[in-house]
């Protein structure tokens, strides 16, 4: 069964609250630290701890920035330190500088893509707020570090927890003004308001004084949300709470609920199908485009031979994906193929419950995909395992395949 994360944003949402909530849900802290270290980004240390918020025990995650040339040493049971040992040649980074930092991540491509998507949402909102082209939006270097860490941490933890769907509650926001490097701005600040408006997020105003939804928090909510409503029935697996730094009359925590649908062994998911007709792309170009789409998170990609006007032979390229990956996959289609337009429409997919297992056969170990429907189980040996054994032993494909299914059934 797919995992659904419900973000209950009754006290707004920010980057550090989201990371704390995901760590409280069980995301692996060591996996996160290793991923962040791979970016080789200096000048900060991480705080991991617990915090009492109105009697609630919440996870307290913070990114502490360090003065240039100084290192703050903390108990490693609570913090993870980086030294800032060299001066920076410039004081600002643009979106593409940040993309280069994210590309250094030692993790899967879809994690990098999700992090880039969140930062792009912030940059587009800032560009609109300040009336600038996207490439001219700059993030102050010191201020950008905590945003990079927060956003990348969210992408890493979401992947680590195996979350497939995210539902976001209305975002609670305060009122008044906040002070920043641009001056005194109204709440919600323009960048946050632009994200909420552009991505169709729901907003609920409260009587709290001050900002409750940060631009980073709004971008996280926009990028993660894959569905608007919770399933009719679900099983609550775990609750995580990330602590905020401000004091309100209610508990300032972001609560995340990890859910699992319980209707049956099949689950209906809303996906998108994107299609485009190609009559001037080479075979190599089509192969690379498919490879890049699958690496970026597409659920499936396929080609269908067709005939276009003037009876020209061509291919229809079809891509099945989630809403959260649609924009990124459209970018790949537009840049890596010769398409000048893409059709899309929503579809419902019912998928069997599935898991991967390894079974021992007389020919060696084989990976098996086990699918279940009601009281029946189906066993599908993985091609790469069968291929490897055939090349190593000289056995024929059918013999190894049937032996693997037999072993799995036993």
């Amino acid at each position: 069964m797919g995992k659904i994360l419900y973000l209950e944003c009754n006290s707004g949402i920010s980057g550090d609250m989201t990371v704390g909530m995901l760590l409280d849900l069980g995301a692996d802290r060591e996996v996160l630290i290793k991923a962040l270290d791979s970016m080789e980004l200096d000048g900060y240390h991480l705080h991991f701890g617990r915090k009492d918020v109105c009697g609630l025990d919440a996870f307290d995650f913070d990114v502490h920035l360090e003065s240039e040339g100084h290192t703050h040493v903390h108990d490693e049971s609570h913090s993870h330190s980086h030294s800032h040992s060299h001066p920076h040649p410039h004081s600002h980074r643009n979106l593409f500088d940040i993309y280069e930092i994210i590309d250094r991540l030692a993790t899967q491509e879809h994690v990098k893509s999700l992090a880039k998507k969140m930062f792009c949402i912030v940059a587009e909102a800032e560009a609109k707020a300040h009336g600038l082209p996207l490439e001219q939006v700059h993030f102050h270097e010191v201020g950008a570090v905590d945003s990079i860490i927060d956003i990348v941490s969210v992408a890493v933890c979401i992947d680590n927890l195996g979350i497939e769907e995210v539902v976001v509650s209305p975002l609670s926001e305060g009122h008044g003004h906040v002070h920043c490097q641009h001056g005194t701005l109204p709440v919600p600040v323009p960048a946050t308001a632009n994200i909420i408006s552009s991505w169709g997020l729901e907003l609920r105003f409260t009587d709290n004084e001050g900002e409750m939804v940060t631009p980073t928090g709004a971008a996280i909510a926009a990028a993660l949300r894959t569905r608007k409503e919770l399933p009719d029935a679900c099983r609550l697996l775990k609750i995580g709470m990330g602590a905020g730094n401000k004091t309100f009359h209610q508990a300032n925590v972001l609560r995340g609920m990890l859910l699992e649908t319980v209707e049956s062994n099949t689950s209906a998911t809303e996906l998108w199908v994107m299609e485009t007709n190609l009559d001037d792309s080479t075979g190599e170009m089509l192969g690379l485009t498919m490879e890049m789409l699958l690496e970026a998170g597409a659920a499936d990609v396929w080609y269908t031979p067709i005939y276009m006007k003037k009876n020209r032979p061509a291919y229809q390229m079809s891509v099945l994906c989630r809403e959260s990956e649609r924009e990124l996959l459209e970018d790949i289609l537009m840049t890596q193929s010769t398409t000048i337009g893409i059709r899309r429409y929503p579809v419902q997919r019912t998928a069997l419950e599935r898991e991967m297992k390894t079974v021992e056969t007389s020919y060696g170990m084989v990976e098996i995909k086990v699918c279940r429907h009601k009281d029946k189980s189906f066993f599908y040996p993985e091609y790469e395992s069968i291929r490897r054994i055939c090349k190593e032993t000289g056995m024929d494909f059918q013999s190894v395949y049937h032996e693997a299914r037999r072993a799995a059934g036993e």
Side-chain angles (χ1 to χ4, degrees):
M1 297 182 185
K3 293 180 182 178
I4 301 173
L5 174 64
Y6 176 57
L7 294 180
E8 187 184 71
C9 306
N10 291 339
S11 290
I13 183 172
S14 65
D16 54 356
M17 292 171 75
T18 308
V19 180
M21 176 271 298
L22 293 170
L23 289 167
D24 204 30
L25 279 175
D28 193 314
R29 171 175 156 179
E30 296 306 317
V31 169
L32 172 60
I33 291 174
K34 184 177 179 181
L36 295 178
D37 284 349
S38 69
M39 290 192 297
E40 300 178 353
L41 187 63
D42 297 323
Y44 73 94
H45 66 265
L46 304 177
H47 168 76
F48 301 90
R50 309 297 302 184
K51 188 175 183 180
D52 182 286
V53 185
C54 295
L56 299 176
D57 179 43
F59 199 107
D60 186 28
F61 172 84
D62 276 306
V63 180
H64 295 288
L65 304 179
E66 299 170 356
S67 300
E68 189 170 337
H70 294 81
T71 301
H72 302 281
V73 180
H74 292 260
D75 181 354
E76 279 298 317
S77 65
H78 299 287
S79 303
H80 181 68
S81 299
H82 294 249
S83 63
H84 198 155
S85 57
H86 56 275
H88 290 279
H90 52 83
S91 60
H92 293 79
R93 290 186 174 108
N94 64 23
L95 179 63
F96 306 103
D97 294 327
I98 292 171
Y99 278 3
E100 289 182 2
I101 295 172
I102 294 173
D103 279 332
R104 297 201 293 257
L105 266 173
T107 186
Q108 298 183 58
E109 286 300 319
H110 67 267
V111 177
K112 300 178 188 178
S113 298
L114 179 57
K116 289 179 181 179
K117 179 180 179 180
M118 287 186 269
F119 239 110
C120 185
I121 291 172
V122 176
E124 288 175 344
E126 293 285 2
K128 183 177 180 180
H130 301 296
L132 294 171
L134 186 63
E135 60 272 14
Q136 291 184 21
V137 174
H138 286 78
F139 300 87
H140 190 271
E141 184 163 10
V142 175
V145 170
D146 54 353
S147 295
I148 294 171
I149 299 302
D150 284 344
I151 283 174
V152 169
S153 295
V154 169
V156 170
C157 289
I158 285 287
D159 176 67
N160 183 249
L161 289 169
I163 293 169
E164 299 178 0
E165 301 279 356
V166 178
V167 180
V168 180
S169 78
L171 309 182
S172 294
E173 180 61 293
H175 66 277
H177 297 81
V178 295
H179 301 282
C180 66
Q181 64 180 16
H182 298 292
T184 302
L185 300 178
V187 174
V189 298
T192 297
N194 289 338
I195 294 171
I196 291 171
S197 173
S198 299
W199 290 82
L201 298 171
E202 295 183 40
L203 188 63
R204 182 174 68 86
F205 287 101
T206 72
D207 59 357
N208 288 313
E209 178 77 26
E211 182 184 45
M212 299 172 69
V213 181
T214 67
T216 298
I220 289 169
L224 292 185
R225 188 180 68 164
T226 60
R227 54 191 295 169
K228 294 183 178 180
E229 297 179 352
L230 289 167
D232 293 334
C234 53
R235 182 181 295 109
L236 179 57
L237 302 178
K238 196 171 184 180
I239 296 174
M241 287 189 286
N245 292 319
K246 297 179 180 178
T247 301
F248 300 124
H249 61 77
Q250 84 283 355
N252 186 17
V253 297
L254 174 65
R255 185 162 69 163
M257 301 182 190
L258 199 57
L259 309 171
E260 185 179 66
T261 54
V262 296
E263 295 91 327
S264 67
N265 286 343
T266 60
S267 58
T269 305
E270 185 172 278
L271 301 172
W272 286 89
V273 170
M274 298 189 293
E275 296 176 346
T276 184
N277 296 347
L278 304 168
D279 65 355
D280 55 351
S281 290
T282 66
E284 294 88 349
M285 186 184 298
L286 295 175
L288 176 61
T289 304
M290 173 184 281
E291 180 181 325
M292 294 181 69
L293 289 167
L294 291 170
E295 287 179 352
D300 202 357
V301 182
W302 66 96
Y303 292 105
T304 306
I306 59 173
Y307 287 93
M308 293 176 61
K309 57 182 178 288
K310 299 181 181 178
N311 214 31
R312 289 198 296 259
Y315 290 94
Q316 175 182 288
M317 184 175 200
S318 302
V319 181
L320 183 68
C321 67
R322 297 179 176 84
E323 171 64 27
S324 57
E325 284 97 27
R326 183 178 60 78
E327 184 177 358
L328 172 63
L329 299 180
E330 281 188 346
D331 290 343
I332 294 174
L333 277 171
M334 290 294 191
T335 56
Q336 296 299 327
S337 76
T338 56
T339 184
I340 57 174
I342 301 169
R343 306 179 296 276
R344 65 173 182 266
Y345 52 88
V347 296
Q348 291 283 335
R349 180 181 71 168
T350 301
L352 295 180
E353 177 189 354
R354 66 194 68 183
E355 64 176 323
M356 295 301 298
K357 289 190 174 183
T358 301
V359 299
E360 184 174 359
T361 73
S362 57
Y363 304 115
M365 304 301 290
V366 177
E367 285 193 328
I368 303 284
K369 183 183 295 179
V370 183
C371 299
R372 297 184 178 87
H373 177 63
K374 297 181 179 178
D375 59 344
K376 294 183 178 180
S377 295
F378 306 95
F379 307 101
Y380 302 105
E382 286 293 287
Y383 167 76
E384 291 297 336
S385 289
I386 304 298
R387 175 179 177 272
R388 173 182 53 79
I389 289 176
C390 289
K391 294 189 72 173
E392 290 176 354
T393 66
M395 292 296 300
D396 62 280
F397 189 96
Q398 289 192 62
S399 296
V400 179
Y401 184 87
H402 290 303
E403 170 64 13
R405 290 194 64 181
R406 184 198 62 76
E410 292 179 351

